[in-house]
Amino acid sequence: MSLTYVDAELFKKAFLAGAHNISNNKEYINELNVFPVPDGDTGTNMTLTIMSAASEIEAVTKPTIDLLAKAISGGSLRGARGNSGVILSQLFRGFCKDVRGKESLDINDLTAGFARAVETAYKAVMKPKEGTILTVARGMFEKAEEICDFEDDVIAYIEQVLEYGKQVLAQTPDLLPVLKEAGVVDSGGQGLVDFMEGVLAGLKGETIELNEAVPSAPMRGAGLLEEIPKARPKYPMGSGNDNISTADIKFGYCTEFIIMLDKELSDKEVEGFKEYLLSIGDSLVCVADEELVKVHVHTNHPGLAFEKALTFGQLTRMKIDNMREEHSERVLMEAEKQRAEEQEAAFKQMKLERRGEAAKQEPVKEEPKKKFGFIAVSVGEGMCEILKGMGVDHVLSGGQTMNPSTEDILFAVGAVNAENVFVFPNNKNIILAANQAATICEDKNVIVIPSKSVPQGISAMLSFMDSMSVEENVAAMNEAMSMVKSGEITYAVRDTSIDGKEIKNGDIMGIDDNGINAVGNDIAEVTSQLIGGMIDEDSALVTLYYGADITEETAEQLSAQLAEKYPDVDFEIHNGGQPIYYYLLSVE
């Protein structure tokens, strides 16, 4: 089979085959993770990211390269989760920027797209590390550049690029000692190779069926392994309300869609569109970039929303739910109510101009934006209460088992009525997604404080002073985080060897800022061992946040034992309520 160029139909088929291949191999990719912790793993994050893009392009019924590029770029950008997902989205974004406007893609177009992809991805990472997905991507591009002038068959060209990518992937353990010790190749690089294998199959006319549409992630209680729901709600579930009446649902249709823009909208056009949607509904979220506009609105006239949107471009991902009908069958989910309230809050400063009788209503008064707002990522009832008690406006659920996407963070930012919004990712695997959200948001100053743990985020919040400027607070927060040592106690989900330690599935692990420093079979013993390695002559306070699998009595007993062992150090305990991690702790 010979192929001299890729048209839009084949481009769509090849991308979907690549996306499906990543999804079908996600568990294998997860198993390559060096750290055997039960976090949102690389395969899961890459799958959620690429399937967000796949959903967008599947909705393109009359594909062109331009429309597909917009869908892939926007879908992956907003769906990006975890470091691997963000880097993958940046690879797609760079490639798509270079190929937009073309009717078909030949080898020179593909090579130029690869170059832009690698350049964009490297720029997105503050300190690029070799031996990762970036290394594999760069290797593939270098091979593409080497052969592009001597090859005119796209199939043969991609075969050679893929084969060299596999060779580079095999060399990643030589670039990262931690990979060599664990006996694995880089998981993100493997995901990229799996994507390219799928792309090659698609270019050859093969179809890769999707084995499982939504990835799941493991959770474990006290000695029990269980699965989280296949599809988690975007917002936390709350208690039901049996007293809600369908008469109280003012706007009955939950309407969602995406506009694939004919041209980028000006700020004035975006604001005008938002005001129009608010004139026919409420609970609005409208997020725009140079290529797409994503809309969620409650309205009694979905058709009017669609008609207005069609003046800006083509529509995709259209969805209408009759909330009154759903409510007549069951109580309206509290999660939907909470989501509506949060999203409405993001735009409550806009004047509400309603048609007909609604136009007689008094305009909603604009509430002045406060100077500072705060968003933190965390999980666990107790931990969320602690953060909110410190002044955090919005606690975004995630971190341990599911990294929030760029879009999740954007929605949270929109819900905070402040000029300057500080975001605490509280997990190293969420920082890139938070940074990506900050670059997209245009109407607020979003400042990402690169906290890698909840204790670091709490320490940063404690250093905040309303009387100081943004710059002064950033400096104070970073300094406060540098004074905190963080630790966590969890369990291993696979056998591995790391940092000179042999770890078996089910072992209890103590992890600090430097890696896995304690391994054993008893939670209390491992916690004590980890803290002993973290305490030094300057340590004055240890704070323990006990998780959902630890009782208050057990935590108090451990705290008393530690206080007796280290009489010069104060110990505090708090109910964090977090799953998976028996204890989160800080040493100051």
Side-chain angles (χ1 to χ4, degrees):
M1 178 182 180
S2 179
L3 186 68
T4 57
Y5 66 90
V6 179
D7 63 16
E9 289 285 355
L10 190 56
F11 182 56
K12 177 179 178 179
K13 182 173 184 178
F15 184 87
L16 287 175
H20 292 175
N21 204 45
I22 282 186
S23 180
N24 293 345
N25 288 286
K26 65 181 176 294
E27 293 304 336
Y28 174 70
I29 299 170
N30 284 341
E31 287 297 319
L32 294 176
N33 279 332
V34 173
F35 266 45
V37 295
D39 285 339
D41 285 323
T42 301
T44 301
N45 285 334
M46 294 183 80
T47 295
L48 288 168
T49 299
I50 200 168
M51 291 309 295
S52 177
S55 296
E56 300 296 338
I57 71 167
E58 281 179 327
V60 180
T61 56
K62 295 181 179 179
T64 65
I65 297 294
D66 197 53
L67 288 177
L68 294 174
K70 289 179 180 179
I72 292 169
S73 179
S76 62
L77 184 70
R78 297 181 181 282
R81 295 174 188 269
N83 292 346
S84 55
V86 172
I87 293 172
L88 185 66
S89 75
Q90 291 299 313
L91 288 169
F92 291 153
R93 190 182 191 193
F95 181 88
C96 290
K97 275 190 175 181
D98 204 80
V99 303
R100 281 180 58 181
K102 300 182 184 296
E103 294 184 4
S104 62
L105 305 176
D106 60 19
I107 286 175
N108 288 328
D109 296 326
L110 293 172
T111 303
F114 290 158
R116 186 74 171 270
V118 172
E119 178 188 5
T120 303
Y122 266 88
K123 285 181 178 178
V125 181
M126 186 172 295
K127 295 181 180 179
K129 184 182 294 185
E130 296 305 330
T132 66
I133 182 176
L134 292 172
T135 305
V136 178
R138 193 185 70 237
M140 287 183 177
F141 158 63
E142 289 173 349
K143 188 64 177 180
E145 189 177 43
E146 175 190 328
I147 66 175
C148 69
D149 292 333
F150 308 98
E151 186 61 70
D152 56 9
D153 178 14
V154 172
I155 299 295
Y157 165 83
I158 295 295
E159 285 177 337
Q160 294 176 68
V161 169
L162 174 59
E163 184 58 34
Y164 189 72
K166 291 179 179 179
Q167 294 176 28
V168 176
L169 176 64
Q171 295 167 4
T172 54
D174 297 326
L175 298 173
L176 277 179
V178 69
L179 294 176
K180 177 166 283 190
E181 183 181 5
V184 296
V185 296
D186 177 68
S187 54
Q190 180 66 58
L192 183 60
V193 165
D194 287 338
F195 171 72
M196 290 299 293
E197 284 184 331
V199 167
L200 179 60
L203 292 175
K204 290 180 177 180
E206 302 172 17
T207 299
I208 296 180
E209 298 295 337
L210 189 61
N211 293 341
E212 184 182 349
V214 181
S216 60
M219 291 184 68
R220 190 173 90 168
L224 298 175
L225 185 64
E226 55 192 21
E227 291 287 324
I228 64 170
K230 295 291 183 186
R232 80 182 171 102
K234 185 178 287 293
Y235 293 89
M237 295 289 290
S239 59
N241 187 342
D242 295 332
N243 298 318
I244 297 176
S245 166
T246 55
D248 295 328
I249 303 176
K250 188 171 186 179
F251 297 101
Y253 297 97
C254 178
T255 306
E256 298 182 18
F257 56 90
I258 290 174
I259 311 172
M260 296 183 292
L261 295 172
D262 293 333
K263 62 180 182 67
E264 184 177 357
L265 299 183
S266 66
D267 292 343
K268 185 176 180 180
E269 288 174 316
V270 172
E271 290 305 312
F273 183 45
K274 290 177 180 177
E275 290 178 2
Y276 173 79
L277 292 174
L278 282 172
S279 75
I280 61 170
D282 66 3
S283 301
L284 172 67
V285 166
C286 178
V287 183
D289 63 15
E290 68 272 12
E291 301 170 347
L292 302 172
V293 178
K294 188 163 186 175
V295 174
H296 167 282
V297 65
H298 292 178
T299 179
N300 289 327
H301 303 286
L304 294 178
F306 290 152
E307 287 180 16
K308 183 68 174 178
L310 283 168
T311 64
F312 302 121
Q314 298 186 50
L315 302 188
T316 185
R317 305 289 291 167
M318 293 171 286
K319 178 174 172 284
I320 303 174
D321 290 325
N322 186 330
M323 295 188 293
R324 294 189 182 95
E325 184 179 83
E326 290 177 354
H327 182 74
S328 67
E329 297 172 356
R330 58 178 172 81
V331 175
L332 186 63
M333 293 175 65
E334 184 70 16
E336 173 61 23
K337 179 184 176 184
Q338 181 177 346
R339 181 172 73 166
E341 290 172 349
E342 290 174 344
Q343 295 176 343
E344 185 179 6
F347 303 100
K348 63 184 177 182
Q349 70 273 18
M350 296 181 183
K351 291 183 178 180
L352 188 61
E353 298 175 357
R354 304 191 186 282
R355 290 185 172 183
E357 292 184 6
K360 300 175 183 178
Q361 298 176 9
E362 289 295 322
V364 174
K365 292 183 179 180
E366 296 182 5
E367 293 186 11
K369 286 185 177 181
K370 58 182 181 178
K371 187 175 180 180
F372 299 110
F374 307 91
I375 294 169
V377 180
S378 185
V379 68
E381 223 176 277
M383 198 65 76
C384 292
E385 287 181 7
I386 291 170
L387 290 166
K388 287 181 178 179
M390 298 177 65
V392 173
D393 298 282
H394 186 98
V395 179
L396 188 59
S397 181
Q400 268 74 16
T401 59
M402 185 68 72
N403 300 142
S405 68
T406 297
E407 187 172 55
D408 291 334
I409 298 169
L410 276 173
F411 275 138
V413 170
V416 178
N417 188 29
E419 297 174 7
N420 305 286
V421 181
F422 290 94
V423 179
F424 304 96
N426 294 339
N427 186 296
K428 65 181 181 181
N429 208 33
I430 301 174
I431 294 174
L432 280 182
N435 286 335
Q436 190 155 271
T439 62
I440 295 173
C441 186
E442 296 180 352
D443 61 338
K444 296 175 183 176
N445 180 30
V446 179
I447 309 100
V448 177
I449 303 299
S451 53
K452 297 179 181 179
S453 67
V454 175
Q456 279 193 355
I458 289 174
S459 178
M461 272 297 299
L462 287 171
S463 70
F464 171 79
M465 292 187 64
D466 191 67
S467 60
M468 296 196 303
S469 67
V470 170
E471 294 75 18
E472 289 171 332
N473 273 306
V474 168
M477 288 175 176
N478 283 314
E479 183 180 358
M481 288 195 302
S482 70
M483 305 296 289
V484 176
K485 300 175 185 177
S486 299
E488 53 199 29
I489 309 297
T490 187
Y491 56 91
V493 295
R494 64 181 70 91
D495 296 350
T496 190
S497 174
I498 186 170
D499 296 335
K501 297 178 177 63
E502 291 295 328
I503 300 170
K504 300 298 182 182
N505 185 15
D507 280 352
I508 306 301
M509 300 182 299
I511 307 169
D512 64 13
D513 298 326
N514 299 314
I516 300 173
N517 278 334
V519 179
N521 298 312
D522 184 82
I523 296 172
E525 288 180 5
V526 171
T527 305
S528 179
Q529 185 181 343
L530 178 67
I531 290 175
M534 296 172 67
I535 287 178
D536 58 28
E537 59 184 12
D538 297 323
S539 300
L541 173 65
V542 174
T543 305
L544 291 164
Y545 303 92
Y546 60 92
D549 295 325
I550 301 294
T551 65
E552 182 178 5
E553 181 182 3
T554 300
E556 287 177 344
Q557 289 175 354
L558 176 60
S559 177
Q561 293 169 7
L562 292 168
E564 185 176 348
K565 188 174 182 180
Y566 303 101
D568 295 330
V569 179
D570 291 329
F571 286 84
E572 290 184 0
I573 64 167
H574 298 281
N575 178 15
Q578 69 274 0
I580 292 178
Y581 288 80
Y582 302 114
Y583 290 102
L584 298 176
L585 60 94
S586 64
V587 178
E588 302 173 64

